Amino acid sequence: MKKIAFVIALAIASLSSAQAQNGPAEGKPLRFVVGMGLTGGGDKLATAEYEHGGSVDVRAGGLIAFVGGVDYRINRQFSIQSTVGFHVDQASAKNGDVTFKRFPIELLAYFHPTENFRFGGGVRYVSSPKLNGKGFGSGIYKEFDNTVGAVVEGEYFFGPSVGLKVRLVKETYDYTYRDRRYVSRNGETKGDHIGIFGNFYF
């Protein structure tokens, strides 16, 4: 997973430097968008201990996200974006893994103070958040309730097709568990995180 994160970081950097001319206002108002990014934060969900030493934490705000959707430029000052994504954090080895995955759906609105920069925010609905493991992670399993969070972000456009965004997400995952007396109780896990994304518009 660390190798994948490194490759994504390089890809974001290359996307960001690929263009440096016009802002997003030019061209058709309705466009498709695909993106990928790195995120960090949230409560620790599990720790993978390796046989030869070392450990990796799986967190509720990590680590790699892929998104796809549509972006609509209403006018020179305002735009909206809607995306569906896959967000995952994982600790893996040859003898197993522990994975936290979820599927976020976002609706965001932006204000454009300049042609190359916009900022805004919106809501994020997270579907099917689940933690599970296999191999050395056998016995790790937890399902969380679907949740709604808030997003605040800014995006800089290096050209009409390439954007780099920094974001802050605030969300909480609720779950139900049984204590030692087998009494059902409610718990929550903070999934708050920050992230950096490279987006391609077409």
Side-chain angles (χ1 to χ4, degrees):
M1 184 62 74
K2 288 184 177 180
K3 292 181 180 179
I4 296 175
F6 179 71
V7 171
I8 289 179
L10 289 178
I12 291 175
S14 63
L15 280 174
S16 301
S17 60
Q19 300 183 16
Q21 295 180 353
N22 300 317
E26 299 186 8
K28 54 187 179 182
L30 180 63
R31 301 186 295 171
F32 293 100
V33 55
V34 292
M36 55 187 177
L38 300 175
T39 66
D43 291 343
K44 181 171 67 176
L45 298 174
T47 299
E49 301 283 350
Y50 295 111
E51 294 180 357
H52 301 292
S55 63
V56 176
D57 293 332
V58 174
R59 293 190 172 273
L63 171 68
I64 298 175
F66 303 91
V67 299
V70 294
D71 188 270
Y72 183 70
R73 187 71 178 261
I74 300 172
N75 53 42
R76 294 187 67 87
Q77 289 188 309
F78 298 98
S79 63
I80 57 175
Q81 184 178 105
S82 179
T83 60
V84 178
F86 175 64
H87 197 176
V88 61
D89 194 0
Q90 184 181 65
S92 60
K94 293 182 179 179
N95 60 336
D97 60 58
V98 178
T99 303
F100 178 56
K101 59 184 178 180
R102 58 276 198 207
F103 300 88
I105 302 171
E106 298 182 355
L107 180 61
L108 308 174
Y110 301 95
F111 172 71
H112 297 244
T114 72
E115 284 303 314
N116 292 85
F117 177 74
R118 67 180 180 179
F119 67 89
V123 294
R124 166 182 166 102
Y125 176 78
V126 183
S127 175
S128 305
K130 182 185 300 184
L131 174 73
N132 62 359
K134 60 183 179 180
F136 70 79
S138 296
I140 297 177
Y141 184 84
K142 184 182 291 184
E143 288 188 359
F144 300 85
D145 296 337
N146 296 344
T147 190
V148 176
V151 181
V152 177
E153 65 178 32
E155 184 170 15
Y156 182 81
F157 288 88
F158 293 86
S161 299
V162 178
L164 181 69
K165 65 169 61 177
V166 177
R167 58 170 23 204
L168 173 66
V169 175
K170 185 174 181 60
E171 60 192 10
T172 300
Y173 297 101
D174 295 323
Y175 61 93
T176 302
Y177 68 98
R178 290 188 178 184
D179 62 17
R180 295 180 179 178
R181 298 181 180 180
Y182 297 97
V183 177
S184 294
R185 299 185 182 277
N186 296 323
E188 67 175 30
T189 295
K190 295 292 185 180
D192 302 349
H193 61 271
I194 58 175
I196 180 169
F197 280 69
N199 283 350
F200 181 73
Y201 297 84
F202 58 98

